[in-house]
Amino acid sequence: MKYILFGFLAILMREVTIGQCLPASNGICDGTPVLCSANELNGYSCQLSGLINWPSCDPVCPSGGKAYNTEWWRFWSFGGNVCVTVSVSNCNLVNKGIQFGLMEDCCTNYFFCESNCFNSGSRTLCAELRPCTICNFFINGCEGDVCNVNISVTSTPPTLGPSVKIDGNASPCFGSKNNSY
């Protein structure tokens, strides 16, 4: 009876953990809501979805890789240097691992892309981002692999000069007087 109870609790805990995958990803780059900054991805910890979503970048990185169960996040860039570390573990479908990358437009203008699949440990990639752009970050399960992933983000914003007003707005990135860096 203890083993049945333990098994039930393990399944329940797995479902609760999967339900806490925030900020939520999307299977299509263009349809993904835009986060306020890359820092919102810092601390993300979840299991990738096993849902196959073919309408993605092909190849997933300029140097290769096929999209299978790609998950996307989008965020506003205020420029400066950003480093993204992705840790992976417990790949449980084909044990191939993941690929990940960051680009300015969906499937073009890559800042970086890790095309080599890895199924344990972590990789860190850095880029100098342009201000006032939407960046697209993805993680792809190689051959549809389902893995646990953790994302860590460190960023150094650019040094901004004096406040610039365009048409009376406080920020050239947003069209509202209420929004500013």
Side-chain angles (χ1 to χ4, degrees), residues 98-119:
I98 64 163
Q99 301 162 300
F100 69 97
L102 180 68
M103 62 197 77
E104 194 167 88
D105 300 315
C106 292
C107 303
T108 60
N109 298 328
Y110 285 80
F111 291 110
F112 59 70
C113 197
E114 175 60 68
S115 62
N116 296 319
C117 298
F118 65 103
N119 61 8

Side-chain angles (χ1 to χ4, degrees), residues 43-60:
Y44 177 89
S45 182
C46 196
Q47 184 180 64
L48 293 179
S49 168
L51 298 175
I52 303 299
N53 51 3
W54 297 109
S56 192
C57 306
D58 189 25
V60 72

Side-chain angles (χ1 to χ4, degrees), residues 138-161:
F138 74 89
I139 298 177
N140 178 56
C142 299
E143 294 184 28
D145 212 350
V146 176
C147 306
N148 293 338
V149 295
N150 295 301
I151 302 172
S152 175
V153 176
T154 57
S155 61
T156 307
T159 303
L160 299 176

Side-chain angles (χ1 to χ4, degrees), residues 25-155:
S25 63
N26 196 337
I28 301 171
C29 181
D30 283 329
T32 303
V34 180
L35 303 171
C36 290
S37 74
N39 291 332
E40 289 192 53
L41 289 172
N42 197 26
Y44 177 89
S45 182
C46 196
Q47 184 180 64
L48 293 179
S49 168
L51 298 175
I52 303 299
N53 51 3
W54 297 109
S56 192
C57 306
D58 189 25
V60 72
C61 290
S63 59
K66 177 123 178 87
Y68 285 92
N69 53 335
T70 310
E71 296 191 26
W72 293 91
W73 296 266
R74 301 177 91 192
F75 62 86
W76 277 104
S77 165
F78 295 108
N81 187 272
V82 66
C83 293
V84 180
T85 301
V86 178
S87 302
V88 63
S89 64
N90 299 322
C91 297
N92 60 26
L93 191 60
V94 293
N95 202 28
K96 295 286 183 178
I98 64 163
Q99 301 162 300
F100 69 97
L102 180 68
M103 62 197 77
E104 194 167 88
D105 300 315
C106 292
C107 303
T108 60
N109 298 328
Y110 285 80
F111 291 110
F112 59 70
C113 197
E114 175 60 68
S115 62
N116 296 319
C117 298
F118 65 103
N119 61 8
S120 64
S122 63
R123 301 280 193 285
T124 300
L125 298 175
C126 300
E128 189 72 27
L129 304 183
R130 289 185 328 122
C132 305
T133 58
I134 294 176
C135 295
N136 304 285
F137 178 75
F138 74 89
I139 298 177
N140 178 56
C142 299
E143 294 184 28
D145 212 350
V146 176
C147 306
N148 293 338
V149 295
N150 295 301
I151 302 172
S152 175
V153 176
T154 57
S155 61

Side-chain angles (χ1 to χ4, degrees), residues 155-178:
S155 61
T156 307
T159 303
L160 299 176
S163 179
V164 176
K165 294 192 179 246
I166 298 175
D167 297 332
N169 292 322
S171 172
C173 295
F174 307 102
S176 168
K177 293 180 182 181
N178 298 323

